[in-house]
Amino acid sequence: MFKGILINNDEQGYHASMQEINDNTLPEGDVTVKVLYSTLNYKDGLAITGKAPVIRSFPMIPGIDLVGVVEHSDSNQFKAGDIVLQNGFGIGETHCGGLAQKARLKSDWLIPLPTAFTPKQSMIIGTAGYTAMLCVIALEKNGVTPDKGEILVTGANGGVGSFAISILAKLGYAVVASTGRMQEVNYLQSLGATEVIHRDTLSNPGKPMAKERWAGVVDSVGSHTLVNACASTQYGGTVAACGLAQGMDLPGSVAPFILRGITLAGIDSVMRPIADRKEAWKRLGEILEPSVFDSIAEEIKLDTVVATANQLLAGKVRGRIVVDVQAD
């Protein structure tokens, strides 16, 4: 038996709670891991509250991130005692995830913990920081360099937004942060934002084309915000889209694409090939300063995960939530 968050959908309805979980609940896999830390992401919040159909089978342990120590391995890629990291690949959705003290996983999904980070630091980064890095790499590969102009980061107080600001600023970009929480201006500026704008300037229906401003965009919001970001992106610029906090719709025009030649780069972190993951984590190790971890993260225990998930969806959480799954 081990402790974890378990989600069920049965005669009692949809419910999530911390429970003692039997090892038999764990799905098949060739590596068993003692989980040290997990995280609470927006997708985890949706899964725990049931506000979106994230979970595909029940019962399910949520948690799209984890880091831990290999207890048993039938794979020649890993051995007992190795510290491994996983982001995505369906854990917490179709395969029991990281918000528990034990996980059984497929070795093809795992990478060794990068030497630049402690286990806790890797989860402060988690899917959010790794996704932010993928977005920045997409901008770079499309020729968006610091001399081209400002980069817009939407959903700036969230995990992806916070890390995107920090990464871009460290690389020398001028970053404009968009947020609905203007009381967090000092926080965003401490991460490296040169300007902070209210999300209302982007979140309402706008014109098909607006004045050119952004050389590039990292968007975790979607819907009207993404459409307006595209409408105001410079000729030849790139918009990296990785989230849908405002919505999955895209109520816009093709005008920015065919008249300004902008690129809309979709960023998937869930099924990303291992080579891309290793590249992103290597870059994170080269770029991030240790000081960023303290300012971005808050640590909680398993017994507060469900309550914190509701706060997260209510927009009352900034930065990253790290879960110490072994703490009493």
Side-chain angles (χ1 to χ4, degrees), residues 121-137:
Q121 287 173 338
S122 76
M123 285 296 97
I124 293 174
I125 297 168
T127 287
Y130 148 66
T131 302
M133 190 70 247
L134 291 174
C135 290
V136 174
I137 290 171

Side-chain angles (χ1 to χ4, degrees), residues 147-314:
D147 61 295
K148 296 291 179 63
E150 296 174 311
I151 308 297
L152 170 68
V153 175
T154 67
N157 273 300
V160 173
S162 294
F163 270 106
I165 293 167
S166 183
I167 293 165
L168 288 162
K170 188 67 167 53
L171 292 173
Y173 291 87
V175 185
V176 177
S178 168
T179 182
R181 289 178 272 171
M182 297 302 287
Q183 69 272 23
E184 300 287 3
V185 167
N186 290 340
Y187 165 70
L188 296 171
Q189 290 176 334
S190 75
L191 296 178
T194 56
E195 182 182 347
V196 180
I197 62 175
H198 199 283
R199 70 183 177 199
D200 286 352
T201 62
L202 295 163
S203 61
N204 297 309
K207 298 178 180 179
M209 298 275 279
K211 183 179 178 181
E212 295 179 57
R213 180 169 182 182
W214 320 116
V217 179
V218 175
D219 176 66
S220 60
V221 178
S223 193
H224 291 291
T225 297
L226 175 55
V227 169
N228 288 324
C230 290
S232 51
T233 294
Q234 296 174 17
Y235 188 93
T238 294
V239 177
C242 65
L244 43 73
Q246 187 181 5
M248 292 183 67
D249 58 328
L250 193 65
S253 166
V254 298
F257 305 99
I258 61 176
L259 297 179
R260 290 184 182 158
I262 74 165
T263 297
L264 180 58
I267 306 299
D268 167 60
S269 60
V270 177
M271 302 306 294
R272 202 77 177 203
I274 289 292
D276 290 356
R277 294 166 184 266
K278 289 182 175 178
E279 178 190 4
W281 280 97
K282 179 177 180 291
R283 291 289 307 282
L284 287 163
E286 295 167 351
I287 295 168
L288 292 177
E289 298 285 351
S291 59
V292 76
F293 296 109
D294 292 333
S295 61
I296 284 180
E298 174 188 349
E299 183 177 317
I300 65 172
K301 301 176 183 179
L302 276 173
D303 59 2
T304 60
V305 163
V306 174
T308 307
N310 283 282
Q311 294 174 5
L312 176 62
L313 294 192

Side-chain angles (χ1 to χ4, degrees), residues 1-81:
M1 303 290 286
F2 57 94
K3 292 180 181 178
I5 305 298
L6 196 65
I7 302 173
N8 253 306
N9 192 10
D10 51 28
E11 63 276 3
Q12 300 174 33
Y14 193 102
H15 54 98
S17 63
M18 189 177 84
Q19 300 181 27
E20 290 284 338
I21 302 172
N22 192 293
D23 284 25
N24 293 335
T25 303
L26 295 176
E28 292 184 0
D30 56 353
V31 179
T32 301
V33 174
K34 176 185 177 181
V35 181
L36 300 176
Y37 293 94
S38 185
T39 63
L40 189 62
N41 297 278
Y42 189 79
K43 184 182 284 186
D44 299 318
L46 293 173
I48 290 167
T49 61
K51 292 187 176 179
V54 172
I55 304 300
R56 308 300 172 83
S57 63
F58 298 90
M60 179 59 61
I61 298 170
I64 65 173
D65 290 327
L66 66 83
V67 64
V69 181
V70 174
E71 289 187 335
H72 176 80
S73 175
D74 293 321
S75 165
N76 57 14
Q77 297 183 63
F78 301 100
K79 64 183 185 303

